Amino acid sequence: MIRLIVLVAVMIAGLMFGPEASGNKGYVLIALGNYTVESSVTSAVILAVLFYGALLVIEWLLGRVFGLRRKTLGWYGSRRRRKANQQTVAATLAMAEGHYSQAEKLMLKGASNSDTPLLNYLSAAKAAQARGDDVRRDQYLQKAQEENPKAELALTLTQTQLQIEQGQYDTALAMLESVYALNPRHPMVLDQLRQVHLAREDWAALIDLIPVLHKVGKLTPKQEEDLLHRAWTGRLKAASDSLETLRPVWQDLPRKLRQDPDLLAAYGDRLRELGADSEAAELWLDALRKQVSPQLLARLPKLKLESYQPVLTLLQKIQDQPGVEAALAQVYLLAGQLDQAQRLLEQEVAKTPSAAIYHALGQVMDKRRLTNKANEYYRQALALADV
């Protein structure tokens, strides 16, 4: 448009000044080596205008030719992209239907002309893993990284998550430790480390990781509590080969957690397994003096003690608390005080019958040599236990 305006302006100027210049023609001399060209000013101006116009015409023709070529190439490119998108959609559907080989092939076909080849390679990697082909999975992830080198962290986390899902925990851990060194507060890195530590039952590492997970907001208070219980319970179990390895772990627990009924029950169970019933009894009784706990009450009748008097004394003091009488009755049975045991057990079975109470009544009747009555109670215990 601008060039057309310039051309028109030149023509108007020629019409305006042409008559005036016709009486004073002047001349133009162009010398190039041994060649010279001489012309009047008017002729030179006309030739210049005509030459400029010819250039515009040539430019227009070239634009039409190459514009058509670009349109043709664009049409073929759009067609390839449409086909690639269709292949990607078909691959996604095949993946959802469980046709992993077909999904993998379609994702690869669509990758070369896709607007998002990185996503194609990621999906192909997931399809390869679903088929159990770890080698191809890693090859596709490598291609995805070549497509977008800036996505290294995202692709590494994708690879480690796939390894975790495949049960390759040691390999995943080696990669995650390197990533963690550079990204110590990345939520996804921390969550994957949590998964790996849980799977490998590396309780000490998990316990160290939980405060960091809390700081980045990756755990709700309930999730943090459950994870701490699971980790410390696992660590207690792992250290239960001997009392010498078990006791230091209990001392390592934070003071608040040493008052937790679930962990008290877990530690006491480990002590009992190692024959330290008296130590477990002392631990549980001390906790029950502070707070009555159903978990601990249910475990008292499992203790094997030389004297049950300390247990009986405490339970008699808190007998009005819920669940205490049932435990007291069973401890009476262990202590050989059959009359007190039978009285409380019959009261309990009238209020809240349970398999444990019926079984304890059966034991009482066995000790009294009332076999028929004992068998009747045992049958009722089995019925309630759905055996």
Side-chain angles (χ1 to χ4, degrees), residues 164-324:
I164 291 169
E165 293 172 5
Q166 197 74 0
Q168 300 171 332
Y169 303 118
D170 292 340
T171 306
L173 179 61
M175 296 183 69
L176 285 169
E177 286 177 340
S178 300
V179 176
Y180 178 70
L182 300 174
N183 304 273
R185 294 178 63 85
H186 195 289
M188 186 63 72
V189 176
L190 295 172
D191 188 61
Q192 289 190 8
L193 281 171
R194 176 191 62 81
Q195 295 177 56
V196 170
H197 293 329
L198 273 172
R200 298 177 74 248
E201 297 186 351
D202 189 346
W203 307 118
L206 182 60
I207 290 166
D208 292 339
L209 185 68
I210 289 173
V212 188
L213 286 165
H214 172 78
K215 287 181 182 178
V216 300
K218 199 64 182 174
L219 296 174
T220 64
K222 182 65 169 61
Q223 289 173 332
E224 182 178 1
E225 180 183 353
D226 291 344
L227 196 58
L228 276 171
H229 282 166
R230 186 173 178 184
W232 280 108
T233 301
R235 191 172 174 192
L236 287 169
K237 184 178 180 181
S240 60
D241 291 336
S242 68
L243 291 173
E244 288 71 23
T245 56
L246 180 62
R247 286 170 179 150
V249 173
W250 178 252
Q251 294 303 317
D252 284 344
L253 260 79
R255 184 183 299 273
K256 182 179 178 181
L257 289 177
R258 288 205 297 270
Q259 305 303 316
D260 183 89
D262 290 325
L263 292 172
L264 280 164
Y267 180 51
D269 288 343
R270 303 284 86 78
L271 289 172
R272 287 181 49 249
E273 289 172 2
L274 294 171
D277 287 64
S278 58
E279 189 174 340
E282 184 180 347
L283 179 79
W284 289 344
L285 292 177
D286 184 57
L288 286 168
R289 289 187 187 98
K290 299 172 185 175
Q291 182 181 0
V292 175
S293 164
Q295 298 98 310
L296 301 184
L297 287 174
R299 283 169 165 77
L300 291 179
K302 298 178 181 179
L303 291 167
K304 296 178 181 179
L305 304 172
E306 292 183 4
S307 172
Y308 291 94
Q309 193 55 48
V311 181
L312 290 171
T313 301
L314 175 63
L315 292 180
Q316 288 165 355
K317 287 181 180 179
I318 60 173
Q319 191 170 348
D320 58 335
Q321 296 292 323
V324 173

Side-chain angles (χ1 to χ4, degrees), residues 321-334:
Q321 296 292 323
V324 173
E325 285 194 340
L328 178 59
Q330 294 178 75
V331 176
Y332 272 138
L333 175 60
L334 293 173

Side-chain angles (χ1 to χ4, degrees), residues 114-128:
S114 173
D115 294 329
T116 55
L118 177 110
L119 298 180
N120 283 66
Y121 286 125
L122 283 177
S123 298
K126 292 178 181 178

Side-chain angles (χ1 to χ4, degrees), residues 151-172:
E152 181 179 0
L153 176 59
L155 292 170
T156 300
L157 291 176
T158 299
Q159 184 171 9
T160 50
Q161 185 61 49
L162 292 173
Q163 289 170 342
I164 291 169
E165 293 172 5
Q166 197 74 0
Q168 300 171 332
Y169 303 118
D170 292 340
T171 306

Side-chain angles (χ1 to χ4, degrees), residues 28-29 32 82 136 170 231 247 267 288 313 364 378:
V28 174
L29 177 65
L32 184 62
R82 282 197 302 272
R136 284 189 179 275
D170 292 340
R247 286 170 179 150
Y267 180 51
L288 286 168
T313 301
V364 170
Y378 288 144

